[in-house]
């Protein structure tokens, strides 16, 4: 006899079959932790991108190597396994790949849309506020001075200004999903082997993508290295690798590791203790953002383990009504991100006019976050197709005495 939830030895599935089953085998109910932390990342990204924003001195990036970008990429990988994994399992590799292609096209269009919106904002603001050159401030001078050449480079992603760099990286890592799915069908452990090997090769061979036609500057976020974090989240979500269970000593080790990195991550502390700069210099490769230094990966994983352990068995706390706005932002991550990047630059323009005193900073930051939360609710409402719900409501009419109630009545077409 064997337990009800076990299979007989001769019926156990091969690693490839297990991988095929685990892809898309997720709970129907959304994990509040995923949406909560994605929502937090969206608001942090907004605050961090407002030019000259004093509030940005208190975001996580000022106290450790990793920041909201790591939170966004890891959660995106985790969510991608949920969103696309089921398609590969149910509809086959071709249909799953087509869905990835469609999503990449959507992200590509969103990237171009964000660029043209902000380019327009910069052009209008520069013309209106003659004392400020917002075109130059956003480093778009090349685009406006060499528009025909720049358009070709923009559409081929060989012109990626720094403010517009995270979407191309996300497209790059998402395009690797079909490769990872094929590897997992052979054996799930090939996924981390592939990811680590690609990461190491990118560092060793300096594999990068050009960001400007007029210089050798690469994309600020290299997808060939950031994929390590993306597929860490993807593999955990798909069940290919297991996160370590709660352990008191591992939790203490993670807390010590995170705290130890604070002094060499915070510039005010380093200015007060110059010796810390020398330590950071020795570890500088671990802090590198373009090629995703290993310290960033380890720091994020330590933070994630701390949060998951402390929330273990308490996940429902995040469903409290006070956290619902953050969860809603996480559920609408892409539109909130696009609006947040636009609002952050507009917020910088506003601060240039009203000053960066405490009141002005408070107005811009709180107004921006409020708009993003309201926009998330609006997008959630729109995606729920309320017009369909309204059309499905039965029309109440008063029956006439001569009506034959047993007669079949044709239903109106939608």
């Amino acid at each position: 006899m064997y337990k009800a939830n076990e299979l007989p030895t001769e019926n156990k599935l091969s690693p490839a079959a297990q991988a095929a089953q685990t892809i898309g085998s997720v709970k129907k109910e959304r994990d509040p932790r995923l949406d909560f932390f994605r929502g937090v990342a969206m608001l942090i990204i907004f605050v961090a991108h407002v030019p000259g924003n004093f509030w940005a001195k208190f975001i996580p990036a000022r106290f450790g190597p990793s920041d909201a970008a790591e939170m966004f990429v890891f959660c995106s990988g985790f969510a991608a396994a949920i969103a696309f994994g089921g398609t590969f399992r149910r509809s086959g590799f071709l249909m799953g790949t087509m869905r990835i292609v469609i999503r990449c096209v959507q992200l590509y269009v969103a990237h171009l849309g964000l660029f043209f919106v902000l380019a327009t904002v910069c052009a209008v603001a520069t013309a209106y506020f003659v004392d400020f050159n917002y075109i130059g401030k956003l480093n778009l001078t090349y685009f406006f001075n060499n528009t025909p050449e720049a358009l070709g480079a923009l559409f081929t992603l060989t012109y990626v200004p720094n403010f517009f760099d995270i979407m191309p990286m996300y497209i790059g890592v998402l395009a690797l999903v079909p490769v990872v799915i094929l590897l997992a069908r052979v054996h799930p452990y090939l996924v981390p082997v592939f990811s680590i090997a690609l990461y190491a090769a990118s560092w060793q061979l300096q594999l990068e993508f050009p960001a400007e036609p007029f210089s050798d500057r690469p994309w600020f976020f290299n997808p060939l290295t950031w994929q390590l974090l993306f597929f860490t989240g993807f593999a955990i979500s798909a069940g290919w690798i297991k996160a370590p269970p709660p352990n008191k000593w591992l939790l203490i080790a993670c807390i010590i590791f995170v705290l130890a990195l604070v002094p060499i991550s915070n510039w005010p502390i380093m200015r007060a203790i110059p010796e810390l700069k020398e330590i950071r210099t020795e570890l500088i490769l671990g802090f590198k953002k373009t090629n995703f230094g290993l310290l960033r990966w380890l720091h994020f994983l330590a933070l994630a383990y701390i949060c998951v352990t402390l929330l273990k068995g308490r996940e429902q706390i995040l469903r409290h009504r006070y956290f619902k706005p953050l969860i809603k932002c996480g559920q609408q991550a892409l539109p909130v991100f696009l609006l947040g990047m636009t609002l952050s630059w507009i917020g910088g323009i506003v601060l240039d006019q009203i000053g960066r005193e405490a009141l002005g900073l408070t107005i811009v930051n709180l107004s921006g976050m409020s708009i993003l939360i309201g926009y998330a609710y609006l997008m959630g409402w729109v995606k729920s197709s309320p017009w369909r719900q309204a059309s499905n409501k039965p029309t109440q009419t008063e029956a006439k005495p001569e009506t034959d109630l047993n007669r079949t009545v044709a239903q109106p077409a939608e």
Side-chain angles (χ1 to χ4, degrees):
M1 292 293 292
Y2 53 88
K3 295 181 180 178
N5 60 349
E6 292 181 345
L7 292 174
T9 303
E10 63 270 21
N11 291 334
K12 286 185 177 179
L13 299 175
S14 66
Q18 290 175 358
Q21 276 201 350
T22 54
I23 299 172
S25 299
V26 295
K27 296 179 180 178
K28 294 182 179 180
E29 186 179 10
R30 294 179 70 104
D31 190 329
R33 296 172 299 178
L34 175 64
D35 292 327
F36 173 81
F37 287 109
R38 279 208 299 185
V40 170
M42 292 303 100
L43 297 188
I44 292 175
I45 288 173
F46 162 72
V47 171
H49 284 82
V50 176
N53 189 3
F54 181 77
W55 284 33
K57 294 182 181 294
F58 303 98
I59 62 176
R62 304 296 176 257
F63 303 95
S66 68
D67 56 24
E70 278 79 5
M71 199 183 306
F72 173 77
V73 172
F74 177 86
C75 290
S76 296
F78 198 99
I82 299 173
F84 305 113
T87 304
F88 281 96
R89 182 176 62 85
R90 293 186 303 269
S91 304
F93 181 78
L94 180 60
M95 288 296 101
T97 301
M98 286 304 300
R99 190 175 176 198
I100 291 291
V101 170
I102 291 171
R103 186 56 172 171
C104 286
V105 171
Q106 291 173 337
L107 296 172
Y108 174 74
V109 172
H111 166 70
L112 294 177
L114 176 64
F115 177 87
F116 285 116
V117 167
L118 281 177
T120 302
V121 169
C122 288
V124 172
T126 300
Y128 190 79
F129 302 111
V130 294
D131 294 333
F132 296 88
N133 180 9
Y134 290 106
I135 292 175
K137 196 172 181 180
L138 196 55
N139 195 25
L140 298 182
T141 303
Y142 166 77
F143 177 80
F144 282 92
N145 290 345
N146 306 274
T147 303
E149 177 186 353
L151 279 173
L154 176 70
F155 276 80
T156 56
L157 298 181
T158 54
Y159 174 51
V160 182
N162 277 342
F163 200 79
F164 307 92
D165 37 39
I166 197 166
M167 293 295 286
M169 179 269 287
Y170 188 29
I171 293 172
V173 295
L174 200 59
L176 291 172
V177 168
V179 177
V180 165
I181 295 295
L182 285 178
L183 290 173
R185 289 183 175 181
V186 178
H187 198 291
Y189 285 172
L190 287 179
V191 174
V193 170
F194 165 77
S195 183
I196 293 171
L198 180 58
Y199 176 86
S202 300
W203 272 89
Q204 185 68 27
L205 304 176
Q206 296 183 338
L207 304 177
E208 297 173 326
F209 297 93
E212 295 171 340
F214 53 89
S215 77
D216 58 356
R217 183 179 70 84
W219 286 9
F220 187 70
F221 290 96
N222 185 352
L224 301 179
T225 52
W226 278 81
Q227 54 79 25
L228 178 65
L229 181 61
F230 180 88
F231 287 117
T232 300
F234 195 104
I236 292 174
S237 177
W240 298 336
I241 59 176
K242 299 295 183 182
N247 179 278
K248 180 179 69 174
W249 298 111
L250 182 56
L251 176 62
I252 293 173
C254 288
I255 293 174
I256 293 173
F257 177 71
V258 168
L259 293 178
L261 290 174
V262 172
I264 57 174
S265 304
N266 186 271
W267 287 106
I269 296 176
M270 282 188 286
R271 281 193 291 267
I273 308 175
E275 292 79 9
L276 294 175
K277 290 184 180 180
E278 299 178 8
I279 299 176
R280 183 185 174 96
T281 301
E282 294 295 323
L283 300 172
I284 191 62
L285 290 180
F287 280 83
K288 289 292 185 180
K289 195 164 190 174
T290 294
N291 284 323
F292 188 54
L294 277 178
L295 270 180
R296 305 183 73 92
W297 187 53
L298 295 174
H299 181 258
F300 173 80
L301 292 180
L303 283 175
Y305 183 79
I306 292 170
C307 292
V308 169
T309 301
L310 295 179
L311 284 172
K312 186 69 173 178
R314 306 179 183 90
E315 293 85 356
Q316 293 304 314
I317 293 175
L318 299 181
R319 297 191 185 279
H320 193 279
R321 59 190 179 92
Y322 293 136
F323 297 127
K324 282 185 177 180
L326 291 173
I327 290 178
K328 184 62 69 173
C329 285
Q331 291 171 347
Q332 309 298 330
L334 178 59
V336 170
F337 169 79
L338 295 172
L339 180 60
M341 294 296 286
T342 304
L343 288 180
S344 64
W345 193 253
I346 294 174
I349 296 173
V350 172
L351 289 174
D352 287 337
Q353 308 307 314
I354 68 175
R356 286 173 168 78
E357 303 299 328
L359 179 59
L361 288 167
T362 301
I363 291 173
V364 166
N365 283 286
L366 293 183
S367 297
M369 287 189 282
S370 298
I371 292 172
L372 292 179
I373 291 171
Y375 184 65
Y377 276 98
L378 174 62
M379 291 304 298
W381 178 76
V382 170
K383 289 182 179 180
S384 70
S385 301
W387 47 87
R388 288 180 179 270
Q389 298 172 14
S391 65
N392 289 334
K393 290 182 178 179
T395 303
Q396 295 181 354
T397 57
E398 183 177 354
K400 296 180 180 180
E402 66 273 19
T403 301
D404 182 1
L405 297 180
N406 293 322
R407 179 172 55 87
T408 302
V409 180
Q411 296 296 322
E414 290 187 7

